[in-house]
Amino acid sequence: MGEQQQVKFPQEVIDEYAALGVDLPALFSAGHLGTRMGVQILEASAERVVGTMPVEGNTQPYGLLHGGASAVLAETLGSVGSMLHGGVSKIAVGVDLNCTHHRGVRSGLVTGVATPVHRGRSTATYEIVITDEADKRVCTARLTCLLRDVRPGDGEQTAN
């Protein structure tokens, strides 16, 4: 599903996580599910997260992009933004995801852009707009993440 691209983070953010033993770009290469679906995170900050996903391999029986695939892309991008907003002392956990599917897509690449709606101390909400290659809106999603304190052992799976 294509060559893996490096996630773009501000260098100071990479350095902050590296001091804790966490390889941030590797952590947010989209995870196991995102990797299987071909999700690529191209740009990431608390203000804006951009990622792509191929339609091929992520379709429903009628040959259209599966709504669940759009949800995976949306939750991945919104979670990255929430995590970056929360900082190294917080973990972002999705608690609510709403997706409205506007049009079907049969081929190509879709692009999602997540921008914050609310960034608080205990929750973060992002709007994620997914478009096709013609820049037509395919899906609009909203994700709210709980920002909880890091607990011992939280990073054990991600630090390697």
Side-chain angles (χ1 to χ4, degrees):
M1 290 204 182
E3 193 174 302
Q4 187 72 10
Q5 296 183 10
Q6 190 74 342
V7 181
K8 298 175 184 175
F9 289 97
Q11 189 59 48
E12 62 272 11
V13 173
I14 292 172
D15 294 343
E16 187 177 9
Y17 281 85
L20 299 172
V22 176
D23 180 351
L24 194 60
L27 175 64
F28 282 100
S29 64
H32 299 294
L33 177 59
T35 298
R36 281 196 304 273
M37 297 181 74
V39 173
Q40 300 285 323
I41 300 173
L42 307 176
E43 174 188 330
S45 72
E47 292 76 31
R48 177 179 155 96
V49 182
V50 179
T52 62
M53 181 179 66
V55 173
E56 183 181 348
N58 295 313
T59 57
Q60 38 88 309
Y62 300 114
L64 299 169
L65 177 66
H66 195 291
S70 294
V72 167
L73 178 60
E75 185 152 356
T76 299
L77 301 179
S79 293
V80 170
S82 296
M83 185 277 310
L84 290 172
H85 164 67
V88 295
S89 66
K90 298 284 186 180
I91 293 217
V93 180
V95 294
D96 182 64
L97 176 64
N98 174 296
C99 298
T100 300
H101 306 287
H102 305 291
R103 71 175 48 239
V105 180
R106 292 189 180 277
S107 63
L109 203 62
V110 291
T111 300
V113 178
T115 54
V117 174
H118 165 77
R119 291 188 292 171
R121 289 176 298 187
S122 61
T123 62
T125 300
Y126 280 75
E127 178 183 63
I128 304 93
V129 174
I130 300 173
T131 57
D132 63 15
E133 291 179 321
D135 205 30
K136 291 184 179 175
R137 191 176 292 223
V138 173
C139 175
T140 302
R142 186 186 69 240
L143 173 72
T144 298
C145 288
L146 171 69
L147 301 174
R148 70 163 178 80
D149 292 334
V150 173
R151 292 184 262 210
D154 277 340
E156 288 178 6
Q157 291 182 343
T158 59
N160 294 331

